[in-house]
Amino acid sequence: MNEHDTDPAAQERDAEGKGLSLRAGGLATSLSLVLLGCIVMYGSLQQGIGWDDAGPMPGYFPFYIGLLLALSSLGTALGTLAKWSKGRGDLTTRPQLRRVLGVFIPICVYAALMRYLGMYVASGLLIAWFMRRMAEQGTAHGWIKTVVISVAVPVACYFIFTRWFQVPLYAGPFPAWFGA
């Protein structure tokens, strides 16, 4: 009998299926941060990273922050690859990863829709999506409650931010349709 046979956590992971390993998660995160650092450096180059008569140009400091981020993340990625064969270690199981992606993917869709529909409509759709999803999982949210809350929250945000505090948030094409 080995340690795996008596470890309840290991038996549970086997029952749930293999998920994302620590090393794969670490490598993906490191490479994502390298990409982010490169994007920051590229944008900084467009702004100018030198010095002019007034001092550093707008891209000077962001460029070097992006460079540090990219280099340190590249070092982490290379370290992860160097130790790749030393054990697996689970970051998540498949069910845990599905739950994370079940939130991450709708948030990405929400961010993409905001550009075309505006914040208020996209927010209403996101609220409705999650309320209906919770209803499918046994939480009692009927259609009427979903529609009322999905409309009421963005409308309240509109009045709070745009009208009361006079901080307009991007509303998309809809205000032009109503002559606003």
Side-chain angles (χ1 to χ4, degrees):
M1 186 178 278
N2 63 28
E3 181 182 324
H4 186 271
D5 294 334
T6 60
D7 182 10
Q11 292 171 352
E12 183 179 329
R13 282 192 303 274
D14 287 346
E16 293 174 343
K18 297 289 185 210
L20 184 64
S21 71
L22 280 171
R23 55 189 177 204
L27 185 61
T29 301
S30 296
L31 293 177
S32 297
L33 290 173
V34 168
L35 179 63
L36 179 64
C38 290
I39 291 169
V40 168
M41 288 187 299
Y42 177 76
S44 298
L45 285 170
Q46 291 178 330
Q47 298 294 317
I49 62 169
W51 287 78
D52 61 12
D53 294 339
M57 295 175 76
Y60 182 81
F61 291 110
F63 177 82
Y64 288 105
I65 291 171
L67 180 63
L68 286 172
L69 177 64
L71 289 176
S72 62
S73 298
L74 183 61
T76 302
L78 293 174
T80 299
L81 288 172
K83 298 176 189 172
W84 193 262
S85 64
K86 294 184 179 159
R88 183 182 187 319
D90 289 335
L91 180 62
T92 65
T93 61
R94 280 191 182 147
Q96 291 169 336
L97 186 58
R98 274 193 291 274
R99 285 195 300 268
V100 169
L101 291 176
V103 173
F104 180 72
I105 291 171
I107 295 286
C108 290
V109 171
Y110 167 68
L113 286 178
M114 255 196 283
R115 176 182 174 121
Y116 303 104
L117 302 178
M119 185 182 152
Y120 303 112
V121 174
S123 296
L125 291 172
L126 182 70
I127 292 168
W129 165 262
F130 278 110
M131 287 185 72
R132 292 311 308 155
R133 190 153 172 245
M134 288 172 58
E136 292 169 4
Q137 296 174 356
T139 305
H141 293 306
W143 277 104
I144 293 172
K145 186 176 184 181
T146 299
V147 170
V148 168
I149 291 173
S150 298
V151 170
V153 170
V155 167
C157 288
Y158 169 77
F159 280 103
I160 290 168
F161 291 104
T162 303
R163 296 295 183 173
W164 297 339
F165 292 127
Q166 298 179 353
V167 178
L169 301 175
Y170 179 64
F174 300 103
W177 295 356
F178 298 107

